[in-house]
Amino acid sequence: MSLDWTALGQVAAVSLAVTVAVVAVFALGVLGLARHEGAREEGGGTSTIGLAQAGLCFVACAAVVAYGIYLIVPQFH
């Protein structure tokens, strides 16, 4: 049995990079929610930018998860 170590290394590197990117985007979404809540508590107003940031980040995370499920489940192809 022969393994293509280069391909295995590439898969591991891409997996690590995508994982770090998704975690960073999710953290930015949490930051947006915190800004929204902080603005609401301080002055009674809302931070629409914080809420939009959170929404976009969480939608991006959901899209990555959905794409991963699409790649794994053969009935979707």
Side-chain angles (χ1 to χ4, degrees):
M1 182 173 166
S2 176
L3 289 177
D4 186 2
W5 290 101
T6 305
L8 182 62
Q10 288 175 349
V11 168
V14 169
S15 297
L16 180 65
V18 170
T19 300
V20 169
V22 169
V23 169
V25 170
F26 188 83
L28 288 173
V30 172
L31 177 65
L33 279 180
R35 286 182 180 168
H36 174 71
E37 289 294 320
R40 194 168 66 168
E41 288 177 1
E42 282 181 6
T46 60
S47 171
T48 56
I49 292 178
L51 194 58
Q53 174 187 349
L56 287 173
C57 288
F58 293 144
V59 166
C61 288
V64 170
V65 169
Y67 183 64
I69 291 172
Y70 168 77
L71 290 177
I72 292 171
V73 178
Q75 285 87 4
F76 293 153
H77 293 114

